[in-house]
Amino acid sequence: MVHGRSVSGKLQETFHQYDVHGNSLYSLDRKALNIALRQELDATPNVKMFFHHKLIRADMNTRKVWFEQREDPSTSTSPSTSSTPKEVPFDFLIGADGAHSTTRQQIMRYTPLDYQQQYADTVWCELRIPPTEKTNSFRLPPNYLHIWPGGEYMFCAFPCPDQSFNCILFAPASRLDALKSSPPATLFDFFDTHFPGVCPDLISQSSLSQQFYQSPHLPLIGIKCSPHHLGSAAVIIGDAAHAMFPFYGQGLNAGMEDVRILFDLLDEHRVFGHGKSLDKDHARAAALTEYSNQRVRDAHAIHDLSRRNYLELRGGVNSPVYKARKFVEEALQRYVPLLGWRTLYSRVSFSDQRYSEVVVKNELQGWVLLLMSGLGVLLHVLVFGALGGAFLGLKR
């Protein structure tokens, strides 16, 4: 649901389907997911979990890692760190340790690894729309992702199980810094101009002021690297290998896809079969090489798509070019399904096509549309040229 103002200045809402077949996205509470995964791991007999251990170093040749042990802050009044790191031997190291991955840093000490870290020219701030006071119900229709596109700014609202909306404000760092050092009246004017209907209708002025000035303003980071593995010893997955901007909602999906593809390849190369360790090492190295060859292309593709989708969300959804292409592509997808035509969003969000293949097919569709529009212009020129010639001939 896209929010804004009409030409006359009235508040308006415009509904946009995700795709022509009625597919939709589902938002999952992160805490609930963590609990479900934790319960599954607790029930798996060959899995042991250790908390409050921070990886600090790895020797990939001898296959040993060292962890810094920390006391549980929930049970200790003065949490401390052990002075002697804990040494742990390993056979195969999987680093799922996030954008600031220590595993990735250690791999870089042993192999040439291309690495690119990119910050967006945007920071984000988390806000909340509370439920109504009288009925404790949603203040907006809950079955939508609500977006206020504002050019270089954007405000989004996601429904939560407690009838509230979790909101994110995206804006250039310089602009938010200026707002943070300005009086609340400037903040209210900013919201009224760029996100009409939010304050005070959905968030009171006092609540907005308190949330905005107290919430951290955080950067958006994107990471690309290649390869994603080191021989048969280690591999990185998820944000450790490909942190991306959140505007396609594919970060966690891509991380889970890493796991599926990684274990498919390990099975395909019979890494878990019986045999000598040397054979297993060779098989695992082959599987990890294939994994990097495949996932690097796809990770880079969805990273770039996520950045591009932000530009569309914050302003492009209202542009005539975006609407025209969306209309044509959805018409072809609906009425001529044999062509296999789909919008870029539909391919990314509602299929298991590889991200790199999605990019290729979308670019091909773009060239076809460009050719069709060029032929249309040429046809108009020829038709009107012929009519003009005939008219002049009649006059003579």
Side-chain angles (χ1 to χ4, degrees):
M1 186 71 74
V2 178
H3 297 256
R5 277 200 177 96
S6 64
V7 177
S8 63
K10 292 184 178 181
L11 296 179
Q12 66 177 13
E13 300 173 343
T14 308
F15 171 61
H16 293 249
Q17 279 190 314
Y18 284 113
D19 79 347
V20 296
H21 298 303
N23 288 313
S24 57
L25 300 181
Y26 292 90
S27 166
L28 184 64
D29 180 65
R30 183 179 294 270
K31 183 179 179 181
L33 176 62
N34 286 339
I35 291 173
L37 293 174
R38 171 74 185 275
Q39 290 173 342
E40 186 68 22
L41 288 170
D42 281 334
T44 306
N46 62 333
V47 172
K48 294 180 181 179
M49 288 182 286
F50 299 87
F51 296 92
H52 312 293
H53 284 63
K54 179 183 179 182
L55 177 65
I56 57 173
R57 186 165 64 90
D59 188 326
M60 300 298 179
N61 293 328
T62 62
R63 301 202 180 184
K64 293 180 181 179
V65 291
W66 287 265
F67 291 95
E68 187 179 80
Q69 293 179 262
R70 298 177 174 182
E71 290 187 28
D72 185 348
S74 65
T75 60
S76 176
T77 55
S78 55
S80 61
T81 301
S82 64
S83 57
T84 305
K86 182 178 181 180
E87 179 184 303
V88 180
F90 71 89
D91 175 51
F92 177 34
L93 179 64
I94 301 177
D97 47 346
H100 303 288
S101 168
T102 302
T103 309
R104 182 185 63 238
Q105 295 171 5
Q106 296 301 299
I107 289 176
M108 294 172 73
R109 296 173 54 224
Y110 292 86
T111 188
L113 186 146
D114 290 332
Y115 174 74
Q116 178 185 350
Q117 177 175 299
Q118 182 182 28
Y119 283 94
D121 59 346
T122 299
V123 297
W124 62 278
C125 173
E126 192 170 14
L127 304 169
R128 179 176 179 267
I129 296 175
T132 58
E133 295 176 357
K134 291 184 178 180
T135 60
N136 195 42
S137 56
F138 288 108
R139 293 179 184 267
L140 290 167
N143 294 326
Y144 301 90
L145 161 63
H146 294 269
I147 301 175
W148 284 258
E152 59 179 341
Y153 315 107
M154 186 171 71
F155 187 81
C156 304
F158 305 86
C160 297
D162 66 354
Q163 319 297 307
S164 68
F165 279 87
N166 188 46
C167 307
I168 304 179
L169 165 64
F170 298 98
S174 58
R175 183 59 172 141
L176 285 195
D177 287 344
L179 282 174
K180 207 161 188 178
S181 59
S182 301
T186 306
L187 175 65
F188 306 149
D189 290 341
F190 171 80
F191 264 76
D192 186 59
T193 300
H194 299 286
F195 315 123
V198 172
C199 180
D201 299 346
L202 302 175
I203 307 177
S204 68
Q205 289 188 344
S206 60
S207 177
L208 176 62
S209 177
Q210 180 182 15
Q211 291 186 63
F212 178 80
Y213 292 113
Q214 292 183 1
S215 297
H217 295 180
L218 303 172
L220 293 172
I221 185 174
I223 289 172
K224 294 180 180 179
C225 68
S226 175
H228 290 174
H229 78 289
L230 172 65
S232 64
V235 67
I236 49 176
I237 61 175
D239 280 0
H242 47 68
M244 65 191 71
F245 305 128
F247 305 110
Y248 246 118
Q250 290 294 308
L252 178 59
N253 291 348
M256 289 187 159
E257 190 173 59
D258 288 344
V259 176
R260 176 177 63 80
I261 292 172
L262 173 62
F263 279 86
D264 282 349
L265 290 172
L266 292 173
D267 285 338
E268 186 179 315
H269 287 265
R270 300 182 179 180
V271 172
F272 301 118
H274 297 290
K276 297 179 181 179
S277 59
L278 182 62
D279 295 335
K280 289 183 181 179
D281 244 30
H282 179 76
R284 187 162 60 220
L288 296 185
T289 299
E290 190 174 342
Y291 173 81
S292 273
N293 290 340
Q294 182 178 149
R295 291 307 285 166
V296 165
R297 293 200 304 275
D298 292 332
H300 288 191
I302 189 58
H303 176 281
D304 295 340
L305 287 173
S306 297
R307 186 176 182 86
R308 167 181 163 179
N309 197 47
Y310 172 53
L311 300 178
E312 288 186 349
L313 284 173
R314 73 182 191 181
V317 289
N318 289 325
S319 74
V321 174
Y322 173 85
K323 291 179 178 179
R325 175 166 179 172
K326 186 172 185 287
F327 174 80
V328 171
E329 290 188 324
E330 288 184 339
L332 291 171
Q333 183 177 344
R334 182 189 296 273
Y335 299 113
V336 199
L338 290 177
L339 292 178
W341 204 285
R342 299 182 70 173
T343 63
L344 174 62
Y345 195 95
S346 181
R347 288 188 191 278
V348 170
S349 300
F350 306 119
S351 81
D352 59 358
Q353 293 180 10
R354 293 181 57 183
Y355 297 123
S356 55
E357 292 176 355
V358 168
V359 171
V360 171
K361 290 181 180 179
N362 184 68
E363 289 178 349
L364 177 61
Q365 288 181 185
W367 282 111
V368 171
L369 289 177
L370 187 62
L371 179 61
M372 289 169 59
S373 63
L375 290 174
V377 171
L378 179 61
L379 182 62
H380 276 79
V381 170
L382 292 175
V383 169
F384 283 106
L387 290 174
F391 178 74
L392 289 175
L394 288 173
K395 287 189 70 175
R396 289 176 184 172

